Amino acid sequence: MATTKIITPAQATHPGTLIKDELDAIPELNQRKLAQELDVKPSFLNEIIKGKRPVTADIAILLEKTLGISADYWMKFQSQYEIDKARVKQKNIKKIKNIELWSIIKEYVPVLYFKKCGYLKEDIDKDIESIKTIYNVHSIDGLVASFSKNKYAFYRKSEKLKINEKNMFAWSSLAEYEAKNQSINTFNFDNLGQLCLNLNRIFYENTNTIDRVKKVLNQFGVKMLLIDKLEKTPIDGFSFWSDNNPAIALTLRYNRIDNFAFTIMHEIAHIDLHLKNDRNQKFLDLTKKENIDKCEKEADLYAQKNLISKVCWSDILENYLPLDDDKIKIIGDKYKINPAILLGRISYEINYYAMQTSIDKKMN
């Protein structure tokens, strides 16, 4: 059964306006004469015309006799006025309430960021619904409660980084929202080994890298999202479970193949080692890590081993020291590993990132 869309007018129209229109249309009739014909005081009629008094059944019958407009019409006009007046009142109450809600929302939501990304359209009613959808809450009270519950997670891995709680909460919520909108292949944990091999081939070739990585992740049932970074949101990666698939969200803070490759492998590690047994976990990995916990150490080790095999690393230590750019490139070609990834591991192992090099780290 089709439903009729109810349109609430900007303001309710009182039947007194029709009386005024009739008086304007009949030159020989004025309020005083009409009041005499209706047998009411001029002031009484004036209050009806100004909308201060209703058109009652008795007045409707008198108007029918005087103006030739049926009493039923006058009563329907009056009834519609009362309905419209109530709807306008409710609409105004809702508008005021939404304005109040919006002032609360701005305390917990980076509104300008969501507008820039195209999620908000300068319509408070619709924007409130959009915010609730993105944050996966049923009310603004739920948003506030969710923020209070989750904000402390952003400090567990770092006490020194400058973190904006509101922005971190927004970024992670947006990542989960966007992940829900993706539909990809079925995921199977048994295929992760082959996935890592395919990814390493892409990292080595470093051509159209982001698109190719996303395509292969989707083929293996892993969602991948690129979420625009926000101020004071020092995030490299975020891994979580989304419906029937694992998901990886990135900010791409650095356009470096070594950083990108390690972040991808690190998040796959969380999927393989941690989400496998508990799909309710979420791993929000910050750029600088302090007081690294067990899961993060495991993910780092997993990423190192899958990017550079133990055989390759042993070969480097036994046959190629001291290293230089030419040797690193030879090793890269020998094991099909991007030289920038090898250089990144070497810099990490010796804790020195300022070495002079001609190796191109840019992601293509």
Side-chain angles (χ1 to χ4, degrees):
M1 181 179 178
T3 56
T4 303
K5 185 177 180 180
I6 297 173
I7 300 176
T8 302
Q11 61 182 32
T13 302
H14 190 277
T17 58
L18 180 55
I19 298 175
K20 185 177 184 303
D21 289 343
E22 289 296 311
L23 290 173
D24 291 341
I26 305 172
E28 64 273 16
L29 191 62
N30 57 38
Q31 283 193 38
R32 184 171 294 277
K33 288 181 180 179
L34 181 57
Q36 289 175 353
E37 292 189 31
L38 296 175
D39 195 24
V40 298
K41 293 181 179 180
S43 60
F44 181 90
L45 177 60
N46 185 257
E47 289 182 343
I48 293 176
I49 291 173
K50 289 184 175 181
K52 296 180 179 180
R53 282 183 180 272
V55 172
T56 63
D58 291 337
I59 295 297
I61 292 172
L62 293 172
L63 289 169
E64 179 182 63
K65 291 178 180 179
T66 306
L67 299 176
I69 300 173
S70 71
D72 284 345
Y73 182 83
W74 287 109
M75 294 310 296
K76 287 178 182 178
F77 201 144
Q78 180 66 42
S79 177
Q80 188 61 51
Y81 166 75
E82 299 295 343
I83 292 171
D84 287 346
K85 185 169 70 169
R87 283 181 178 152
V88 169
K89 180 180 178 181
Q90 289 298 320
K91 183 179 180 180
N92 289 336
I93 289 173
K94 182 181 178 183
K95 185 177 181 180
I96 292 171
K97 182 179 179 182
N98 281 351
I99 290 173
E100 293 173 348
L101 287 176
W102 194 246
S103 66
I104 296 173
I105 285 173
K106 288 192 289 187
E107 294 181 26
Y108 298 92
V109 175
V111 172
L112 292 178
Y113 171 77
F114 283 114
K115 285 181 179 178
K116 179 183 176 182
C117 294
Y119 295 99
L120 304 182
K121 306 294 185 181
E122 301 291 348
D123 182 319
I124 288 182
D125 292 355
K126 292 180 181 179
D127 287 349
I128 287 175
E129 293 307 311
S130 295
I131 289 296
K132 290 193 290 187
T133 301
I134 292 171
Y135 284 85
N136 193 28
V137 294
H138 298 295
S139 66
I140 301 308
D141 286 342
L143 168 66
V144 175
S146 182
F147 175 79
S148 299
K149 177 182 177 182
N150 290 292
K151 69 175 183 177
Y152 299 107
F154 305 144
Y155 287 98
R156 280 204 287 265
K157 295 172 189 172
S158 174
E159 295 178 356
K160 297 180 180 179
L161 287 174
K162 293 181 179 180
I163 292 176
N164 184 301
E165 298 171 346
K166 179 168 69 175
N167 290 353
M168 293 287 281
F169 185 45
W171 190 94
S172 58
S173 297
L174 184 56
E176 293 183 64
Y177 166 74
E178 287 291 352
K180 282 184 175 293
N181 294 328
Q182 285 193 10
S183 179
I184 59 172
N185 290 345
T186 301
F187 175 76
N188 188 328
F189 281 101
D190 293 337
N191 296 332
L192 284 177
Q194 185 60 51
L195 171 60
C196 290
L197 291 175
N198 291 6
L199 287 170
N200 276 324
R201 187 179 307 116
I202 296 171
F203 297 147
Y204 173 66
E205 295 169 356
N206 193 21
T207 303
N208 197 23
T209 303
I210 294 174
D211 289 342
R212 291 175 66 196
V213 166
K214 182 173 183 179
K215 183 177 180 180
V216 75
L217 285 172
N218 290 173
Q219 287 174 344
F220 279 79
V222 179
K223 299 180 180 181
M224 175 180 160
L225 309 104
L226 300 178
I227 307 296
D228 289 347
K229 60 186 178 182
L230 277 131
E231 182 184 5
K232 297 181 181 178
T233 54
I235 301 170
D236 269 343
F238 179 35
S239 49
F240 55 96
W241 205 266
S242 175
D243 295 328
N244 297 315
N245 301 84
I248 294 173
L250 308 169
T251 56
L252 293 186
R253 289 168 53 82
Y254 308 105
N255 186 33
R256 291 193 348 233
I257 184 63
D258 58 322
N259 180 267
F260 179 71
F262 190 86
T263 300
I264 289 289
M265 284 297 185
H266 183 94
E267 301 312 320
I268 289 175
H270 282 314
I271 293 169
D272 196 11
L273 303 177
H274 309 128
L275 294 178
K276 190 173 189 176
N277 299 317
D278 184 359
R279 297 184 181 184
N280 292 319
Q281 292 189 89
K282 298 175 185 178
F283 294 92
L284 192 63
D285 292 310
L286 305 185
T287 300
K288 296 179 181 179
K289 301 173 185 177
E290 299 152 5
N291 304 319
I292 303 176
D293 62 21
K294 179 174 179 287
C295 289
E296 293 305 308
K297 289 179 180 178
E298 291 173 346
D300 282 348
L301 185 60
Y302 182 104
Q304 287 177 2
K305 289 181 177 179
N306 277 280
L307 288 170
I308 302 173
S309 69
K310 186 178 291 187
V311 171
C312 173
W313 192 248
S314 296
D315 190 14
I316 292 172
L317 297 179
E318 293 173 8
N319 302 308
Y320 289 92
L321 297 180
L323 285 166
D324 56 34
D325 285 357
D326 290 336
K327 289 180 181 179
I328 290 173
K329 290 174 183 177
I330 291 170
I331 297 165
D333 289 336
K334 179 179 180 180
Y335 290 95
K336 304 302 180 188
I337 300 172
N338 190 292
I341 294 175
L342 286 167
L343 180 62
R345 172 73 181 277
I346 294 163
S347 298
Y348 172 79
E349 293 292 343
I350 65 175
N351 194 27
Y352 183 65
Y353 296 89
M355 67 175 64
Q356 296 295 318
T357 180
S358 63
I359 292 173
D360 186 8
K361 301 177 183 179
K362 184 179 178 182
M363 182 163 55
N364 300 316

